[in-house]
Amino acid sequence: MIDTDIDMFYIVPPNEEIPFYILEDCILTRLDYLKLLSEGSANEFDGKFEYLLENSIYDKAGHFVLRLLACISSDLCTYWVAKESLLFKQRLDHMSPRQLHKLLKQITWKLQIFKDRKSAIDTTLIELCKFYSQPLIFKHLVSNCHNCNNFRYEVRFEIIPDLVRERELVLSNGNVITYCSDWKKILQSLFSNYVINDMNIMKKQAQRIIKYDLRFNILNQKVQSYLFKECTVHGKISIDNIEEEAQKFPLCMQHLHSLLRRRHRLSHYARLYYSLFLKEIGMTLEDSITFWKQEYSKPHTCTSVCSHNWQSNEKKFLYSIRHMYGLEGSRRNYKTPSCNQICAGISGATYEGGCPFKDFDMNTFKNLLCVSLTEDEIEKFINNVSVKDPEVRCIAFLKLVCKNNIDDVVVKSPVQYYQKMSN
């Protein structure tokens, strides 16, 4: 029998029992540590290390329950898998040769014994671990094996798509050429893709468990709350309260919201700016996907500048939304354009956005003001505010519609405006 002390790939779920309150603590503690690890501050962690001891019941339970929850949330999946992969690398970096040899043997053994149906990733892992475990090759791996190509192994490109996408390795006839010095990089990539593949298999089961088991439902909400706290935003807007909150939007965003509701489409940059604004005032990724799916699934009007629909372009829309949330591509934290950028930015016949105080003709401007002001108030506002500066006019409008008396107002972005109205 092979010693089962190391299961860094989490192939076999735990079967021990632990109290639910401890399980919750394990999960939130794990998320705390993973966050610090991703920021390079793991040494600042002051939580319960016993929950993170490799191969402990707490470590396994924390990983597998987060894997379950991540099955139903693309946001959590991307957030968690990337950080769990860093934990795997950290453990790999601190392994002794004896531990590494045991890990390779156990991956092979567990996948062969516990997996009835083996995926392409499972098969690759088994063969690769056997390759690495060969005495001559293993001795070379744990020696000073850096930037060398003494031993070569080919992996199908679809098994490690992240390394292919980042052009980390050479691609030849559908195979990725890997060398002995790449072993840590390959194992880390296989770990991430093994976990993602396993989640895809258990997705339907996970949805049922979380939906019908109140404990997991509550746990899922707490984890989502934790993530919302991590991505601090300036409000709590959702698909349920957006119509009410839209009254607090600056006129530039009110205009885009109104057009979208009427035409069910926006031009590219208008959609980009409005999406970023909604993200920054608190709309979650899931709500954003639902919001845009609802609009772009409806027939567009003859006055729409965009004729795309969700049904035909779902993958592109999903990628675009996830990209804006920093979950695809360069994974940047994109911000809403400032007022200066909006005023100096896009122009053209197909662009519906811009600053109402600078770019709109009088009839369009008055129609927009009608949402918030009476006819008398509109006339007084237009006659009394003669300054040409859009920022000054926007602040004057904010003071007019805001119920509280406010002084020394500064508005440099649509998000700042919304903050002032919300406060």
Side-chain angles (χ1 to χ4, degrees), residues 62-253:
H63 173 91
F64 274 101
V65 173
L66 279 169
R67 188 188 290 191
L68 179 78
L69 300 180
C71 285
I72 68 165
S73 168
S74 57
D75 200 359
L76 175 59
C77 176
T78 306
Y79 177 92
W80 173 70
V81 171
K83 289 173 173 52
E84 199 75 29
S85 176
L86 291 177
L87 178 60
F88 176 85
K89 182 179 184 299
Q90 182 194 52
R91 288 172 170 175
L92 208 58
D93 288 341
H94 291 87
M95 292 188 90
S96 67
R98 180 176 175 276
Q99 289 172 321
L100 176 61
H101 192 265
K102 187 183 293 185
L103 171 66
L104 296 174
K105 290 291 185 183
Q106 286 186 19
I107 290 173
T108 305
W109 176 68
K110 289 181 178 178
L111 286 174
Q112 288 175 331
I113 297 297
F114 293 100
K115 286 290 188 82
D116 294 329
R117 294 183 179 179
K118 293 177 180 60
S119 66
I121 292 178
D122 296 339
T123 305
T124 299
L125 265 170
I126 291 170
E127 296 305 317
L128 185 67
C129 288
K130 286 180 178 179
F131 175 77
Y132 285 157
S133 297
Q134 295 177 62
L136 181 63
I137 297 174
F138 182 78
K139 184 178 180 180
H140 177 75
L141 290 183
V142 296
S143 65
N144 295 320
C145 174
H146 299 294
N147 299 319
C148 71
N149 55 5
N150 291 6
F151 298 98
R152 163 176 167 159
Y153 191 87
E154 295 187 7
V155 180
R156 286 296 301 168
F157 75 94
E158 64 268 22
I159 304 296
I160 47 176
D162 47 333
L163 296 183
V164 174
R165 185 168 55 246
E166 294 165 13
R167 293 178 171 79
E168 292 273 346
L169 301 168
V170 177
L171 188 63
S172 174
N173 297 323
N175 291 328
V176 179
I177 311 301
T178 76
Y179 295 103
C180 44
S181 56
D182 300 317
W183 70 271
K184 284 187 182 180
K185 186 188 300 181
I186 299 302
L187 283 178
Q188 185 181 4
S189 174
L190 284 169
F191 169 78
S192 299
N193 291 304
Y194 171 81
V195 171
I196 292 170
N197 184 68
D198 199 57
M199 287 193 299
N200 288 333
I201 294 171
M202 62 187 290
K203 186 170 290 186
K204 286 186 178 179
Q205 184 183 3
Q207 289 171 337
R208 285 196 300 271
I209 291 172
I210 295 168
K211 182 177 180 181
Y212 294 110
D213 190 317
L214 182 60
R215 299 168 303 167
F216 281 102
N217 197 296
I218 292 171
L219 191 56
N220 183 51
Q221 291 178 29
K222 288 188 177 181
V223 169
Q224 293 296 331
S225 246
Y226 175 93
L227 288 181
F228 185 77
K229 180 186 71 177
E230 291 303 308
C231 308
T232 305
V233 287
H234 305 290
K236 293 182 180 178
I237 194 164
S238 69
I239 53 175
D240 297 320
N241 68 7
I242 189 168
E243 291 306 323
E244 179 184 349
E245 291 297 301
Q247 299 171 30
K248 304 173 188 175
F249 292 178
L251 289 183
C252 55
M253 295 301 160

Side-chain angles (χ1 to χ4, degrees), residues 391-409:
E391 185 181 313
V392 173
R393 300 179 74 191
C394 186
I395 291 172
F397 176 75
L398 169 64
K399 289 182 176 181
L400 183 61
V401 296
C402 193
K403 301 301 180 184
N404 300 322
N405 292 323
I406 48 176
D407 298 311
D408 302 322
V409 181

Side-chain angles (χ1 to χ4, degrees), residues 29-48:
T29 298
R30 192 179 193 88
L31 289 173
D32 281 338
Y33 183 77
L34 291 176
K35 174 179 177 290
L36 289 171
L37 181 64
S38 69
E39 294 172 350
S41 309
N43 59 320
E44 296 176 12
F45 177 72
D46 59 358
K48 297 178 181 178

Side-chain angles (χ1 to χ4, degrees), residues 260-403:
L260 179 65
R261 288 304 203 197
R262 191 165 67 250
R263 299 177 179 175
H264 312 300
R265 301 292 186 276
L266 289 174
S267 63
H268 172 74
Y269 284 103
R271 186 173 74 246
L272 171 65
Y273 289 177
Y274 188 46
S275 295
L276 290 174
F277 173 71
L278 292 178
K279 180 195 86 165
E280 218 172 333
I281 63 172
M283 184 171 277
T284 64
L285 173 67
E286 278 75 16
D287 268 7
S288 183
I289 290 172
T290 302
F291 176 73
W292 290 104
K293 180 178 180 179
Q294 286 174 350
E295 289 300 327
Y296 273 71
S297 295
K298 296 174 182 176
H300 63 86
T301 68
C302 59
T303 55
S304 300
V305 295
C306 172
S307 59
H308 293 106
N309 63 72
W310 189 274
Q311 293 84 343
S312 304
N313 300 272
E314 181 174 13
K315 287 187 178 179
K316 289 184 179 179
F317 280 123
L318 287 175
Y319 181 88
S320 175
I321 295 168
R322 287 171 55 78
H323 191 274
M324 283 184 278
Y325 278 75
L327 301 173
E328 297 287 357
S330 59
R331 300 182 187 274
R332 286 174 49 198
N333 182 23
Y334 292 94
K335 298 286 187 182
T336 310
S338 67
C339 294
N340 283 339
Q341 288 172 315
I342 291 174
C343 286
I346 313 301
S347 61
T350 61
Y351 177 56
E352 321 96 314
C355 174
F357 298 99
K358 171 181 175 288
D359 301 318
F360 288 16
D361 62 66
M362 187 56 70
N363 285 335
T364 307
F365 182 55
K366 283 185 176 182
N367 288 336
L368 192 55
L369 292 176
C370 283
V371 177
S372 307
L373 305 175
T374 65
E375 287 189 18
D376 288 342
E377 287 173 330
I378 292 172
E379 290 304 319
K380 285 180 182 178
F381 175 73
I382 292 173
N383 293 331
N384 292 341
V385 184
S386 57
V387 182
K388 298 290 185 182
D389 188 338
E391 185 181 313
V392 173
R393 300 179 74 191
C394 186
I395 291 172
F397 176 75
L398 169 64
K399 289 182 176 181
L400 183 61
V401 296
C402 193
K403 301 301 180 184

